Amino acid sequence: MAPPAPTPTSASSRPTGRAPIARLAWMLARPGAASPATVALPIVAFAVTTALLLIVLGGVLMFWQRTDENAPAFQMLSLLAIALLIVPLATLGGAAARLSARRRDDRLATLRLLGATTGTVTLVTVVESTALAFLGAIAGVVLYLVSMPLVGLIPFGGGPIGPTAIWTGPLAILGVVVGVALLAAVSSVVGLRAVVVSPLGVRLKQRAPHTSWVRLLVGAIIVAVAYATLSSLGVITDVAILVGALVGAFAASVAVLGLVGPFALSIFAKVRLRRAKTAEQLISARGILESPKAAWRLVGGVAMTSFVAVVAGTGTALLESFSAHSTSEALFIADIRTGVLITLVASFVMVACSVGVGQAAAVLDRRDLYVSLDRVGMPVSTMDTARVRSVMLPLLFVAIGSALLGALLVFPLAGLTLIMAPLSLLVIAICFVLGLALVRLSLLATRPILTNVLAHPERSLG
């Protein structure tokens, strides 16, 4: 008996293989599809990034609008401050763009395995990431406007700067919002390479970490060039070239920390793995080696702050060595001291935000690991101890290393005497203690997230 003839299907009823992009993005990002924290965390991080970026930009514009006799000095110092802060800001923004990447990659890899095209996956990713970034950026603008009166209480020139001193203008605000959204879009597309090339490997968590020794080589070359540049500042007579060389050398050196950090942590973790004698030590070392870049993102903020602390501490000691001969000179020195303090405070705000959000995201991204360890009988205290060790030990390692790098670059400018001055060492010590305390508190604050993950193992990130 012949098989029945196939029933003709109208063109309108045939599956096209393409779902509406906005609908897919909403299905993947809606709170019911995953833990609400995986959606809220990127928004919070983007909001903080936007607010801090606008505050820093407003401060720089404020100094460049001055016309008094001290204006050139403040303008140069504002560029130096932004050189020290722009990389931590970019790091925070990049971390915001990568938050919950494991959950997103898993879901997009599933779409690829079900037949979604590369174009569909790319559009879904861009729509989801850009939407979250835009919401966060709008919240950041509101946070910036609310904080303006508080920032206006900072004294400069003998009195408060005023609530409108750091107003950047609507065009700058629009540019920052668009820039944050573009950062999220670009980061999402770059992160799609593994999903597009090997969706099955992503879905099965087969991601071999890769940190190359080339990072160390490139970093060493950059540091050598920066040291040589700072050592030759005395022979430069042109002010513009002098400022450019100074700002460029410090900005490049801060960037080196992010370049070399993951490789240094991978070496550190391999040494700790060989010496591991307990379950906590083994899990913590393995946790770092699983993704040295992710481990660096958890401690990189403190590394940046340690570098800034050495520069700021030496600068503070240098200011104290000057004697004011008039009221204007005393006011000038006091203003510079205030600027140093603001730079340190801004750096610590970035650290607090990036560390807190990063620790929470790390727990969510390793949900499957913690659930598996819980099912085989490992106590929560052991998992938490391993989590603390995987952060605090690398933190000490990178904080000391970045402080030594800062001392190396400051040496040609100030000499060993000022670097080792009591006031300089006091500022550095306070920054170290505050940085370690911030990270430890963030670990303590995110423990409830770990216990909640174990209490609801049925909520899968995938």
Side-chain angles (χ1 to χ4, degrees):
M1 181 176 180
T7 302
T9 304
S10 63
S12 60
S13 63
R14 290 174 185 168
T16 61
R18 296 182 180 179
I21 301 302
R23 181 179 176 83
L24 274 177
W26 166 247
M27 291 175 64
L28 294 177
R30 72 188 193 278
S35 172
T38 60
V39 177
L41 284 175
I43 295 177
V44 172
F46 281 121
V48 173
T49 302
T50 303
L52 289 175
L53 184 56
L54 287 171
I55 291 173
V56 172
L57 179 60
V60 172
L61 293 176
M62 178 189 71
F63 286 116
W64 279 85
Q65 291 172 355
R66 294 181 60 161
T67 57
D68 56 90
E69 59 180 358
N70 295 326
F74 282 115
Q75 291 166 2
M76 182 188 73
L77 292 174
S78 68
L79 291 178
L80 179 59
I82 201 170
L84 294 173
L85 294 176
I86 194 63
V87 173
L89 260 176
T91 302
L92 177 58
R98 289 186 297 266
L99 276 181
S100 305
R102 171 64 62 85
R103 173 192 62 83
R104 183 199 65 202
D105 286 355
D106 286 347
R107 293 172 177 271
L108 294 177
T110 302
L111 288 179
R112 283 281 288 144
L113 291 172
L114 292 175
T117 64
T118 300
T120 299
V121 170
T122 302
L123 287 175
V124 168
T125 303
V126 171
V127 169
E128 179 188 357
S129 299
T130 305
L132 293 179
F134 182 75
L135 290 176
I138 296 299
V141 172
V142 175
L143 182 60
Y144 160 68
L145 295 175
V146 171
S147 64
M148 282 179 58
L150 297 177
V151 177
L153 298 176
I154 297 174
F156 262 105
I161 60 176
T164 61
I166 61 168
W167 172 245
T168 60
L171 289 179
I173 292 176
L174 179 62
V176 169
V177 171
V178 173
V180 169
L182 286 177
L183 171 66
V186 172
S187 297
S188 64
V189 172
V190 171
L192 270 178
R193 288 178 297 178
V195 177
V196 172
V197 173
S198 179
L200 184 59
V202 172
R203 196 70 187 96
L204 297 178
K205 307 294 191 290
Q206 297 173 350
R207 296 183 181 181
H210 178 69
T211 53
S212 173
W213 60 268
V214 176
R215 288 173 172 261
L216 183 61
L217 177 61
V218 173
I221 294 174
I222 294 175
V223 171
V225 172
Y227 183 86
T229 301
L230 294 174
S231 300
S232 60
L233 289 181
V235 300
I236 300 177
T237 56
D238 188 273
V239 176
I241 297 177
L242 178 66
V243 172
L246 184 65
V247 172
F250 278 106
S253 301
V254 174
V256 164
L257 293 174
L259 179 68
V260 178
F263 176 78
L265 281 184
S266 67
I267 300 300
F268 173 81
K270 289 176 182 177
V271 174
R272 298 294 304 178
L273 183 62
R274 287 196 294 265
R275 298 179 179 179
K277 297 180 180 179
T278 64
E280 294 92 340
Q281 295 174 352
L282 180 64
I283 294 173
S284 63
R286 285 291 188 185
I288 298 171
L289 286 175
E290 178 189 2
S291 178
K293 293 181 180 179
W296 168 257
R297 287 195 290 270
L298 295 178
V299 299
V302 176
M304 306 289 183
T305 302
S306 299
F307 181 90
V308 174
V310 173
V311 178
T314 306
T316 304
L318 179 62
L319 288 175
E320 291 298 321
S321 66
F322 293 144
S323 299
H325 300 289
S326 64
T327 304
S328 60
E329 289 184 4
L331 193 61
F332 175 70
I333 293 175
D335 286 346
I336 295 180
R337 190 183 298 113
T338 301
V340 171
L341 179 62
I342 291 172
T343 302
L344 281 175
V345 170
S347 181
F348 272 108
V349 170
M350 295 176 201
V351 169
C353 297
S354 61
V355 166
V357 176
Q359 294 293 348
V363 174
L364 294 172
D365 285 344
R366 293 183 177 178
R367 175 194 294 265
D368 294 341
L369 171 64
Y370 291 128
V371 171
S372 299
L373 292 176
D374 181 61
R375 286 174 175 171
V376 298
M378 178 173 287
V380 179
S381 59
T382 302
M383 284 185 273
D384 194 56
T385 302
R387 187 171 70 98
V388 171
R389 291 181 64 90
S390 67
V391 174
M392 297 305 294
L393 291 180
L395 178 66
L396 289 171
F397 174 70
V398 300
I400 293 174
S402 58
L404 291 176
L405 175 61
L408 174 67
L409 294 174
V410 169
F411 178 76
L413 302 176
L416 186 61
T417 302
L418 285 177
I419 295 175
M420 302 300 294
L423 183 58
S424 176
L425 294 178
L426 177 62
V427 172
I428 295 171
I430 291 175
C431 291
F432 263 75
V433 172
L434 286 177
L436 295 176
L438 278 174
V439 175
R440 190 63 186 89
L441 286 174
S442 71
L443 286 168
L444 185 63
T446 52
R447 176 165 178 161
I449 298 179
L450 174 61
T451 56
N452 183 65
V453 164
L454 299 179
H456 303 88
E458 71 281 357
R459 292 181 182 174
S460 172
L461 284 178

